[in-house]
Amino acid sequence: MPIFRSRGRSRPCLTGTLTCLLLFLSGPPAASDATGGAPERGSAYMGIGVLAHDGESGDPPPGPRASQTEGVDVSSHQRDVDWPTLWNDGTKWAYTKATEGTSYTNPYFAQQYDGSFDVGMVRGAYHFATPDTAGGAAQADWFVEHGGGWSNDAQTLPGALDMEWNPYGDSCYGKSKSGMVGWIRDFLERYKSRTGRDAVIYTATNWWIECTGDYAGFGGTNPLWIARYASTAGPLPAGWTSYTMWQYTSSGPTVGDHDRFNGSRDRLREFATGDAPDAEALRTPGAGTVSRS
């Protein structure tokens, strides 16, 4: 019996070879193509390296809590998203991949970004960083100019910078730890100068340690979006005592990637307007705070 692997949990396919193959082809690609080589540039998505490098640790947390607000993240792999179903199932915010590097834009961005807004969600855009192709400031410019801006309308979240394992080659994009920190700083400073907001940093703790040396300097200004597919968010990178968002699974309903905002819907709207811009201000006592011991 063949076993096909998709973006979510690995499962044996029980419905026959042809059906299995169709199910496999309909899902998002893994971190490498069928020949074992690197995927096509532009095809990366938030969390592409998390399963491969961190795996899964325990079941996802139970259903939504009043202290946290359910969200999703999407890219071109989801194509046209069924936003009404997600909204009715309790999803109240979304991030859409807008750009990668300085040449790629998501062809489904309008349907995904505007569609989430139209059903009432608070929404934002993210940029998949490729520090081996262009500087941080140049990629921030590309992002802002192709969907990654911010407006103070209480429904637009600050842009997010996706920093994770390189699906196209060396995990740290060929950069030293200090070089990676400098690249991230260049992106964040240019984004702030153009939008007035501090960008969210999406990352996994193990990647952050490996590729930045567990640099602590961004925790006081930039909200953390932690990636870990487990029952808890686990240890956080240096500089952050709590997370603002948590990508907790890649196999949730409708779109795969599901997330939690560490606060109520009212706090989410405050975050969108910039009234509570940092992760520490968003911390809910007893929730989302992880010791580094």
Side-chain angles (χ1 to χ4, degrees):
M1 180 183 297
I3 296 178
F4 295 99
R5 300 188 186 278
S6 67
R7 190 169 164 184
R9 289 185 173 85
S10 300
R11 301 180 179 89
C13 191
L14 303 175
T15 54
T17 301
L18 179 59
T19 302
C20 287
L21 180 60
L22 291 173
L23 288 171
F24 171 71
L25 293 175
S26 68
S32 59
D33 64 20
T35 66
E40 181 182 359
R41 286 277 180 174
S43 65
Y45 51 84
M46 188 172 274
I48 188 171
V50 175
L51 278 173
H53 291 268
D54 277 356
E56 293 179 332
S57 178
D59 292 328
R65 304 182 302 186
S67 62
Q68 295 192 328
T69 308
E70 188 77 5
V72 295
D73 58 271
V74 297
S75 66
S76 63
H77 299 299
Q78 282 81 18
R79 299 178 181 268
D80 290 339
V81 174
D82 184 355
W83 293 113
T85 292
L86 285 165
W87 174 265
N88 291 333
D89 286 344
T91 302
K92 303 306 177 186
W93 60 276
Y95 268 88
T96 296
K97 180 182 177 182
T99 52
E100 179 177 326
T102 54
S103 60
Y104 175 84
T105 58
N106 176 6
Y108 292 90
F109 182 77
Q111 192 278 342
Q112 294 175 349
Y113 188 75
D114 296 338
S116 56
F117 178 92
D118 290 344
V119 298
M121 292 185 190
V122 181
R123 49 77 153 112
Y126 78 86
H127 175 80
F128 192 93
T130 55
D132 58 337
T133 63
Q139 293 198 29
D141 286 335
W142 179 258
F143 179 46
V144 171
E145 291 161 7
H146 295 86
W150 175 76
S151 57
N152 191 2
D153 58 4
Q155 278 194 271
T156 304
L157 296 161
L161 174 63
D162 184 348
M163 299 299 313
E164 61 176 292
W165 292 276
N166 178 11
Y168 310 116
D170 174 73
S171 290
C172 302
Y173 300 86
K175 291 196 171 293
S176 66
K177 294 176 175 64
S178 61
M180 183 64 75
V181 170
W183 190 98
I184 295 170
R185 182 181 294 111
D186 288 345
F187 183 101
L188 298 176
E189 289 180 350
R190 180 62 64 86
Y191 186 83
K192 177 71 176 287
S193 73
R194 295 202 57 175
T195 67
R197 290 300 303 270
D198 289 303
V200 175
I201 296 176
Y202 167 96
T203 197
T205 299
N206 286 336
W207 182 90
W208 195 259
I209 292 170
E210 177 184 356
C211 296
T212 75
D214 211 17
Y215 179 73
F218 301 127
T221 53
N222 297 92
L224 173 66
W225 188 347
I226 192 67
R228 185 169 186 257
Y229 305 153
S231 56
T232 67
L236 304 181
W240 287 280
T241 59
S242 61
Y243 61 83
T244 298
M245 290 170 281
W246 169 26
Q247 186 189 59
Y248 67 88
T249 185
S250 64
S251 55
T254 306
V255 297
D257 289 356
H258 276 248
D259 311 87
R260 296 277 170 84
F261 174 80
N262 192 19
S264 66
R265 288 181 65 188
D266 287 342
R267 293 296 271 168
L268 178 65
R269 290 191 179 276
E270 290 177 6
F271 180 58
T273 62
D275 291 340
D278 59 77
E280 189 64 27
L282 287 162
R283 184 170 63 84
T284 302
T289 304
V290 182
S291 170
R292 293 184 55 77
S293 60

